Amino acid sequence: MDDIFNALAHPIRRDLLDRLRERDGQTLGELERDQPVTRFGVMKHLGVLESAHLIVTRKVGREKLHYLNPLPIQEVADRWVSRFAAPFARTLSDLATAAETRDRTMGAAAPKHVWEMYIRATPEAVWSILTDDEQTPLWQHFNMTSKTEWTEGGAITFLVGDRPMIVGKVVAIEPPRRFVHTFSAQWSPDVAVDPASRVTWTLEPVGDKACKLTLTHDDFGGETATSKAITGGWPEALSRLKTLAETGEPFHMPPPAMAG
């Protein structure tokens, strides 16, 4: 974790993260505005943040867009903070807040939320957990179960008891590298009216015993209640997946303390 703390130590790098928190998916030209260093200096700071996996970059047309990746900060919270103050760890997950951006050259919608993490397990091992309804590691904090038809066009449903909380369809399934499904939130009336969005999972091998997982949640159809609501849930869900894949044991977060 030394690279994470080193990256956070410089005020310019913290400012760059704050800017991406306010509006995700910015170009170098946007991020360098009003900075007290040259364009090359900003590029070097962004390189440090990318090496620490605190940001993720994506090419869209001719532009390189930068996205906040809160998962390393979540890992710090899981290691030291959550055992003492779980509600504060959940607050850190909100670093993924972003606003709708568009590629001005191509006119195509840019990814809304992008998370990236490295897992000490093979793509096959992570895939076996991700596609196993019996384990459902992602949403255990909410007491959810899942039911999926593992074929293109098949239904995917997350439930609390008998009540559907998230529903969707499998768009693509390419074991053990890529899984795409739609995402329609049903947990409250304000999100139930939103159009279905899209979730894309990709797994890339790193050596013989590790992999890089990238989760992209996009295609919201604009700024919606769902696009705002999911920013806290995904970092926790991905941390659960990582813990289960690396240790074989599910991660149990204590419930937030109730006010007396």
Side-chain angles (χ1 to χ4, degrees):
M1 293 186 178
D2 289 348
D3 54 346
I4 298 174
F5 290 110
N6 177 64
L8 294 173
H10 199 286
I12 289 180
R13 293 195 283 270
R14 294 196 298 271
D15 179 71
L16 290 170
L17 293 176
D18 286 337
R19 293 187 184 203
L20 290 175
R21 183 191 179 198
E22 292 299 320
R23 184 170 67 85
D24 225 357
Q26 294 190 56
T27 64
L28 171 61
E30 292 172 315
L31 290 170
E32 70 171 328
R33 292 173 188 166
D34 303 320
Q35 292 288 1
V37 294
T38 65
R39 180 182 181 90
F40 180 70
V42 173
M43 290 175 62
K44 290 182 66 176
H45 284 300
L46 289 171
V48 172
L49 292 171
E50 189 170 3
S51 295
H53 309 297
L54 290 168
I55 64 172
V56 179
T57 61
R58 290 287 180 272
K59 289 284 289 185
V60 180
R62 296 182 178 180
E63 294 183 333
K64 184 179 182 179
L65 304 182
H66 301 77
Y67 296 88
L68 184 64
N69 180 32
L71 292 177
I73 297 176
Q74 179 67 51
E75 291 178 12
V76 172
D78 290 343
R79 180 169 178 175
W80 285 302
V81 179
S82 60
R83 73 174 67 178
F84 305 112
F88 296 101
R90 182 176 295 276
T91 300
L92 291 176
S93 298
D94 291 337
L95 288 172
T97 302
E100 181 79 10
T101 61
R102 288 187 175 272
D103 172 27
R104 296 174 183 174
T105 302
M106 305 296 291
K112 181 69 177 185
H113 302 290
V114 183
W115 291 276
E116 182 181 276
M117 72 190 317
Y118 288 83
I119 304 175
R120 291 192 304 272
T122 64
E124 291 79 7
V126 176
W127 182 271
S128 69
I129 296 172
L130 180 63
T131 58
D132 184 354
D133 285 321
E134 295 300 318
Q135 298 191 71
T136 316
L138 301 181
W139 307 99
Q140 289 175 353
H141 185 60
F142 304 98
N143 297 318
M144 285 192 189
T145 59
S146 62
K147 182 178 180 181
T148 311
E149 298 171 357
W150 296 107
T151 184
E152 290 189 13
I156 178 170
T157 308
F158 288 89
L159 308 103
V160 172
D162 295 327
R163 179 189 173 191
M165 305 297 283
I166 303 166
V167 298
K169 294 286 185 182
V170 177
V171 177
I173 183 166
E174 303 167 14
R177 296 289 186 268
R178 184 170 175 267
F179 176 40
V180 185
H181 61 87
T182 60
F183 183 106
S184 181
Q186 303 293 310
W187 56 75
S188 64
D190 60 326
V191 295
V193 298
D194 291 340
S197 52
R198 176 178 58 200
V199 176
T200 302
W201 306 77
T202 58
L203 292 165
E204 304 172 48
V206 178
D208 296 329
K209 299 180 179 180
C211 67
K212 181 175 78 170
L213 183 151
T214 304
L215 172 71
T216 304
H217 196 159
D218 63 356
D219 200 22
F220 291 98
E223 190 71 28
T224 65
T226 300
S227 70
K228 298 175 182 178
I230 55 89
T231 57
W234 278 126
E236 181 182 330
L238 293 173
S239 294
R240 292 176 183 281
L241 177 61
K242 176 179 172 69
T243 299
L244 184 57
E246 292 185 342
T247 70
E249 297 291 334
F251 173 73
H252 297 288
M253 177 179 284
M258 301 298 291

